[in-house]
Amino acid sequence: MCDLHHSISRRTFGLIGASVLGAAALPRLVRAAEVEALAFSCIDFRLVDAAVKFFDSDIGAKDYDLLALAGASLGAVSPKFPSSNAAFWDHVEIAKSLHHIRKVIVLDHRDCGAYKVAFGKDFASERNAETMQHRTMMAALKSALAKKHPDLAAEFYLMALDGTAERVV
Ligand SMILES: [Zn+2]
């Protein structure tokens, strides 16, 4: 009885293991060795769901690593956020070495608190000025990426608080 029970348990465990690894997890694990992009956003709680939807559906990134730092492009390049600068470059290296990413997708957003901190002024009510601020940071990051990682493509988007996004750089 005990042997039978033991044998069934082992067999059941074996089937569950085979099913999980064979049907679902294994293909995912195999794919995980190579992913398309590092997706990079701000930390803002208001746009977490919208950011994931944007990466998943709106631009159709198949697989991506995900990084969030306050200000996104601003956090990566502004001297006001040196530890964020370092974290960004560290994670580009990690995503490259672990998953062989080929692209960095940067998603800034309007009404960003990090931009207010860095520039000491709220541009949210001046749409064009706000867009220019983001474009300046994005261009700086694009240039730095091209120098450090010329093999990586880069796309830069700006999301409004309603979750819609436009490509800026
Ligand atoms: Zn933000």
Side-chain angles (χ1 to χ4, degrees):
M1 194 65 178
C2 188
D3 280 353
L4 181 61
H5 179 77
H6 183 68
S7 151
I8 288 170
S9 294
R10 278 179 54 118
R11 181 160 183 275
T12 306
F13 176 79
L15 285 173
I16 291 167
S19 164
V20 167
L21 284 175
L26 193 55
R28 179 84 193 168
L29 287 171
V30 169
R31 282 205 313 273
E34 192 158 305
V35 304
E36 181 183 7
L38 173 64
F40 176 41
S41 71
C42 182
I43 60 169
D44 196 303
F45 72 98
R46 295 170 295 176
L47 291 169
V48 170
D49 289 345
V52 170
K53 179 187 168 290
F54 174 77
F55 295 130
D56 281 347
S57 307
D58 298 357
I59 58 169
K62 289 185 190 75
D63 284 308
Y64 55 85
D65 289 331
L66 185 61
L67 173 66
L69 294 167
S73 65
L74 176 75
V77 296
S78 169
K80 301 216 175 200
F81 302 104
S83 58
S84 291
N85 297 175
F88 173 77
W89 295 112
D90 284 351
H91 284 78
V92 170
E93 293 281 357
I94 291 166
K96 275 183 86 171
S97 63
L98 283 181
H99 300 143
H100 313 289
I101 57 160
R102 297 181 298 279
K103 181 162 66 173
V104 178
I105 304 167
V106 180
L107 180 63
D108 280 16
H109 71 92
R110 295 189 183 278
D111 193 38
C112 182
Y115 272 77
K116 288 178 202 165
V117 169
F119 292 100
K121 183 175 180 209
D122 184 358
F123 281 95
S125 60
E126 301 169 44
R127 187 179 174 87
N128 290 341
E130 184 180 46
T131 304
M132 278 307 300
Q133 273 190 323
H134 287 271
R135 180 173 286 127
T136 301
M137 292 302 114
M138 291 169 175
L141 181 54
K142 183 177 183 176
S143 168
L145 267 168
K147 280 198 190 105
K148 292 184 192 225
H149 298 282
D151 52 323
L152 291 179
E155 297 173 8
F156 297 81
Y157 298 86
L158 181 57
M159 180 171 274
L161 293 182
D162 65 1
T164 59
E166 60 187 302
R167 185 159 180 181
V168 176
V169 171

